Amino acid sequence: MALIVQKYGGSSVADAESIKRVAKRIVDTRRAGHDVVVAVSAMGDTTDELLDLAHEVAPIPAPRELDMLLSSGERISMALLAMAIHSMGFEARSFTGSQAGMITDSHHGKARIVDVTPVRLREALDEGAIVIVAGFQGFNRDTRDITTLGRGGSDTTAVALAAALKADVCEIYSDVDGIYTSDPRIIPRARKLDHVSSEEMLELAANGAKVLYIRAVEYARRHGVLIHARSSFSSAEGTYVLAEGMKNPRASEGAAMEEPIVAGVATDLSQAKITVVGVPDVPGKAAEIFKIVSKSGANVDMIVQNVSAASTGRTDISFTLPKADAPGTIKALAAEQSEVGFENLLHDDQIGKLSVVGAGMRTHSGVSEILFEALSAGGINIEMISTSEIRISVVLRGDDLAEAARTVHSAYGLDSEIEAVVHAGTGR
Ligand code: ADP
Ligand code: ASP
Ligand code: MG
């Protein structure tokens, strides 16, 4: 008998029928003799709809109230799921994040888990109940307020519960059969991975692959939680995310484990680019600019500085950041224009970022060459480039991103013979 944590995403519990289907899956796991703890997301696109609603009544909703509002989505699905399980003759008990002991810092909208005290969950398990926990939410002890963990945060709830309860596995169910070499909504020929390393998954998640939330992958790596990403719509085995030293539960003994050089291609349309034009090319200017940027709270990703024109002694500095951070950052920079001495500011929110990720890049050369050749053959212009040890990213026109991803995916020989199935969801 094992302890299994299962997380069901919004598309898996989008309506009453889906909730009953998920309830049956949970009951089947219980029938097989396992203890089951479930983290559940809000139904379908509920969180997005609540967010839209909030912005209809207030341009900038108060963070505390926004968390109160958004956390209600998961309360609905957890209670319905428990009811559906009852009607199948099994004992189930639902808990809010705060009842489940999900203790966070006080950072509304992006709270970090600081402690998990699942006393009530253990009691319920000991009494033979199936435990259902509202994902994405926690509680801060100092403010005594409800917090949320950031979009996609139910994944983190599940992993944190798995760590605290020492579960055997954390199964993350969504609308695709596992982790693919790229988003199957964009690349139907994406190939399902048997397993992926935590470090590769972190890079994929950080660069747009929302199939797993980056903080959940981080948490799992730190606490040694085995993640199995799979679909709630099929019985297909999914993808294991393996931290260093973890054994692939599916690997046959002694099988040679030659890893592919490239694990996957991630795409991201959520970033914008700001260019500071005509910056005096003297020491200290980059420091001044990025001090202002960081004060505005923006999370900068790529930075490029051009060679200065000899005739003017001025240069341009471009950087990318989340679209939502751009207006505030532009305002902050504009306010300091004469102080810093730059000429102009450009804002571009039509960019797309394509990233190629693979641990094999450490030991193999020629990976970037394939990327640049594929983009060149496709007539696609590159605007920025950045690299890490195991990733190469390029910024392109947003309109070119899907086509570029398909071309690059083929160029690395990642295309599968069969089309991937996206079972449900709106991709929102
Ligand atoms: P849930 O609502 O269950 O949390 P998400 O919508 O957050 O599910 O994540 C699943 C989606 O992630 C898929 O529908 C797919 O479009 C997207 N996705 C992006 N990159 C990948 C990838 N590499 N492999 C699988 N899915 C991916
Ligand atoms: N419901 C939340 C969201 O849509 C959390 C989650 O689904 O993981 O972001
Ligand atoms: Mg998700």
Side-chain angles (χ1 to χ4, degrees):
M1 175 165 137
L3 170 59
I4 299 179
V5 172
Q6 301 186 330
K7 179 258 170 175
Y8 292 93
S11 51
S12 298
V13 292
D15 49 33
E17 266 327 295
S18 310
I19 289 177
K20 285 197 257 179
R21 187 174 47 79
V22 163
K24 181 165 182 309
R25 262 199 113 102
I26 295 169
V27 164
D28 286 346
T29 312
R30 181 82 190 115
R31 276 208 183 100
H34 305 304
D35 276 338
V36 195
V37 174
V38 176
V40 67
S41 291
M43 295 169 71
D45 292 331
T46 301
T47 309
D48 287 296
E49 286 154 14
L50 291 173
L51 257 178
D52 290 349
L53 200 54
H55 284 101
E56 275 178 44
V57 298
I60 306 173
R64 178 188 183 277
E65 303 311 325
L66 197 56
D67 276 357
M68 285 302 248
L69 179 72
L70 297 188
S71 63
S72 70
E74 271 72 10
R75 267 182 103 125
I76 296 173
S77 49
M78 74 173 193
L80 291 171
L81 192 52
M83 291 173 197
I85 294 172
H86 292 158
S87 72
M88 291 173 182
F90 281 75
E91 170 62 8
R93 234 169 277 167
S94 68
F95 297 93
T96 63
S98 125
Q99 289 175 319
M102 201 57 69
I103 311 300
T104 71
D105 63 15
S106 62
H107 197 325
H108 285 295
K110 220 168 176 78
R112 278 188 177 273
I113 296 169
V114 294
D115 195 10
V116 184
T117 52
V119 182
R120 297 194 62 186
L121 310 192
R122 279 200 195 285
E123 279 169 13
L125 285 173
D126 289 344
E127 288 165 21
I130 293 167
V131 166
I132 317 284
V133 178
F136 174 59
Q137 54 181 263
F139 174 78
N140 179 258
R141 282 181 178 139
D142 300 325
T143 61
R144 286 174 291 162
D145 278 329
I146 303 292
T147 54
T148 63
L149 309 179
R151 298 305 308 275
S154 295
D155 293 352
T156 323
T157 303
V159 170
L161 289 174
L165 296 165
K166 302 197 170 34
D168 295 85
V169 61
C170 181
E171 299 180 333
I172 302 215
Y173 288 91
S174 73
D175 52 12
V176 286
D177 285 341
I179 297 159
Y180 285 74
T181 47
S182 199
D183 186 344
R185 277 180 210 275
I186 297 174
I187 306 188
R189 296 273 171 202
R191 179 191 299 271
K192 188 171 81 180
L193 298 167
D194 168 84
H195 62 278
V196 63
S197 69
S198 301
E199 64 165 353
E200 288 169 323
M201 191 60 230
L202 282 172
E203 288 278 9
L204 289 169
N207 290 285
K210 70 163 182 161
V211 61
L212 288 180
Y213 185 44
I214 182 165
R215 282 190 178 175
V217 183
E218 243 166 30
Y219 203 105
R221 177 161 76 162
R222 224 172 322 118
H223 294 85
V225 173
L226 176 65
I227 293 180
H228 183 191
R230 56 193 306 194
S231 161
S232 69
F233 296 83
S234 80
S235 55
E237 285 273 309
T239 305
Y240 284 106
V241 182
L242 301 174
E244 213 172 311
M246 258 183 203
K247 209 173 146 286
N248 182 353
R250 263 197 304 262
S252 52
E253 288 298 324
M257 293 284 286
E258 182 71 38
E259 299 290 338
I261 298 165
V262 166
V265 177
T267 55
D268 188 359
L269 281 170
S270 71
Q271 301 253 313
K273 179 171 78 172
I274 292 177
T275 303
V276 190
V277 182
V279 181
D281 197 3
V282 294
K285 286 297 160 189
E288 281 179 45
I289 288 171
F290 287 103
K291 195 169 167 195
I292 300 166
V293 171
S294 117
K295 258 192 168 162
S296 77
N299 207 341
V300 171
D301 182 19
M302 286 192 205
I303 302 174
V304 170
Q305 177 173 341
N306 290 338
V307 181
S308 66
S311 53
T312 62
R314 286 174 183 270
T315 181
D316 298 342
I317 297 179
S318 296
F319 57 92
T320 62
L321 73 179
K323 271 182 186 160
D325 291 349
T329 302
I330 290 195
K331 214 169 140 199
L333 281 168
E336 304 283 340
Q337 178 166 4
S338 49
E339 189 69 26
V340 182
F342 61 84
E343 288 168 352
N344 197 9
L345 285 173
L346 302 176
H347 176 201
D348 181 353
D349 63 2
Q350 301 295 311
I351 62 166
K353 185 168 78 170
L354 183 153
S355 303
V356 179
V357 173
M361 286 184 201
R362 281 206 185 92
T363 45
H364 291 77
S365 57
V367 179
S368 53
E369 192 182 324
I370 296 174
L371 170 66
F372 297 137
E373 268 181 5
L375 292 174
S376 149
I380 293 158
N381 191 42
I382 301 171
E383 299 181 15
M384 295 167 102
I385 303 170
S386 84
T387 61
S388 83
E389 230 186 336
I390 65 163
R391 172 182 55 82
I392 314 167
S393 298
V394 290
V395 167
L396 320 159
R397 282 298 87 208
D399 287 344
D400 289 339
L401 186 60
E403 185 52 36
R406 284 189 281 271
T407 308
V408 169
H409 192 267
S410 296
Y412 284 108
L414 296 173
D415 288 357
S416 151
E417 299 74 44
I418 48 165
E419 285 211 358
V421 185
V422 179
H423 297 279
T426 59
R428 193 171 169 185

